[in-house]
Amino acid sequence: MRGWIRLIVTSALATSAACAQPVPIIPPADMARMAVARAAADAMPDTPGTGPYPAIKTVEPGLPDHVVYLPADPAKLGSLKLGVLVWGNGGCSDDAASARHHLAEIASHGYVVIAPGKILSGPGAPPRTARSAPEPLGIKTDTAQVASGIDWALAENNRASSPLYQRIDPALVAVSGHSCGGLQALQIAADPRIHAVIIHNSGVFTDGGNPIAGLKVDKTLLKTLHTPVLYVMGGPGDVAFANGSDDYDKITLVPAMLVSHDTGHGGTFGLANGGDNAQVAVAWLDWQLRHDPAAAHWFKGADCRLCTDKAWTVRKKGID
């Protein structure tokens, strides 16, 4: 929630000519409601996910500036190899727990999920300090920090004393992110180690501008994609909807899919187990990385699972 509030302001500014103006003052009553919403989100317990491998969130000694979500007992996977997902936080924030339910859900299906930053919301977070205005705009984690999760995971796979030793398949590496973090994911997507991409509530700015200090992106990023890409949007009320839709229109070199339902910019990250969007993300990863035919049915064919669900609108190209 913390990252969402800052990001909603950021994205709204990004879509208007007023993006260079000071952030408007939010009335005290609205700030109070936002504080109540943050407190409610923080009070939700961590969830282990609904997959066959209950997940935990942890800070690893060899990666202290990240949070790792993974099956609590990797040995229970047997011969199944773990995949890896690196994640860009909403708002490019340093709250690596801002999408904790979503990330734990993915991890419970046999993935090591790595987000940059600290545990700044929910269980294990330090107490919040009251504030009378939104946090200052600007990124707190950069793209290199997101990508460094890949380096760590693959190094752990080769470290004989690691619990992850030889339990990761280096061919099962993906990147995803929410809003500003989705732009970071697009920057990383060119990495040849990446084999699946999911962009949540995001897209490169349609006017070619970029109001986010410290992050340089433009539509040429779309020409660096070498894998199919999935955009998960929150309907016309999502402030990034136009940007993501324009990205989809401009992608010509790889298969692409844009799915959307009316959740707004915050998606379903605040729901237990990450809500519907987490299930879509798991299915995409299982299809793209593990070639699971049941997962493929979510997306392939005119009668695909999302295609026939009236809650979703679907656009796709290069995916039959």
Side-chain angles (χ1 to χ4, degrees):
M1 177 66 71
R2 178 183 182 190
W4 301 351
I5 292 167
R6 180 171 66 251
L7 188 54
I8 289 168
V9 175
T10 303
S11 299
L13 293 174
T15 57
S16 73
C19 63
Q21 301 301 316
V23 177
I25 295 174
I26 296 178
D30 288 346
M31 287 298 299
R33 283 191 288 270
M34 289 160 62
V36 169
R38 285 196 302 270
D42 285 349
M44 289 181 65
D46 287 340
T47 47
T50 65
Y53 313 107
I56 58 171
K57 82 173 192 279
T58 181
V59 177
E60 295 295 318
L63 197 68
D65 292 326
H66 292 68
V67 175
V68 179
Y69 302 77
L70 77 169
D73 186 356
K76 289 187 176 179
L77 276 77
S79 61
L80 181 71
K81 296 286 189 176
L82 289 158
V84 175
L85 176 74
V86 291
W87 174 260
N89 302 319
C92 297
S93 79
D94 56 349
D95 183 1
S98 59
R100 58 195 169 95
H101 304 296
H102 180 94
L103 303 185
E105 176 64 23
I106 293 172
S108 76
H109 290 267
Y111 294 90
V112 179
V113 185
I114 307 157
K118 305 287 188 180
I119 298 172
L120 299 180
S121 57
R128 292 186 185 272
T129 56
R131 58 182 184 271
S132 57
E135 295 179 27
L137 302 179
I139 69 172
K140 293 189 176 181
T141 55
D142 61 30
T143 303
Q145 288 172 281
V146 179
S148 67
I150 302 174
D151 300 329
W152 175 82
L154 297 184
E156 288 297 289
N157 191 49
N158 292 323
R159 186 169 66 87
S161 60
S162 171
L164 299 177
Y165 178 63
Q166 299 298 297
R167 296 194 182 279
I168 291 172
D169 185 341
L172 307 184
V173 177
V175 65
S176 185
H178 176 223
S179 199
C180 181
L183 298 178
Q184 292 177 323
L186 285 171
Q187 289 183 313
I188 295 168
D191 188 319
R193 299 174 296 179
I194 296 292
H195 296 284
V197 179
I198 307 173
I199 308 300
H200 289 270
N201 311 94
S202 187
V204 180
F205 304 102
T206 57
D207 63 1
N210 178 19
I212 304 177
L215 185 69
K216 294 182 179 180
V217 294
D218 59 44
K219 294 291 184 181
T220 61
L221 274 179
L222 305 178
K223 297 185 182 299
T224 69
L225 291 166
H226 65 93
T227 70
V229 57
L230 173 68
Y231 282 73
V232 183
M233 308 301 295
D238 180 348
V239 293
F241 187 76
N243 296 342
S245 298
D246 188 63
D247 277 10
Y248 173 85
D249 291 338
K250 287 182 166 59
I251 292 170
T252 59
L253 300 179
V254 298
M257 191 162 182
L258 185 150
V259 300
S260 181
H261 61 153
D262 291 332
T263 60
H265 194 61
T268 62
F269 294 104
L271 301 181
N273 302 308
D276 290 345
N277 290 0
Q279 298 304 311
V280 172
V282 168
W284 184 265
L285 294 173
D286 282 352
W287 176 36
Q288 294 295 312
L289 299 178
R290 303 189 189 275
H291 311 293
D292 182 333
H297 182 60
W298 282 69
F299 312 101
K300 291 188 69 176
D303 63 342
C304 77
R305 180 167 174 172
L306 291 174
C307 303
T308 56
D309 186 334
K310 293 182 179 180
W312 292 84
T313 59
V314 174
R315 301 175 67 195
K316 57 181 177 175
K317 51 190 173 184
I319 298 173
D320 297 322

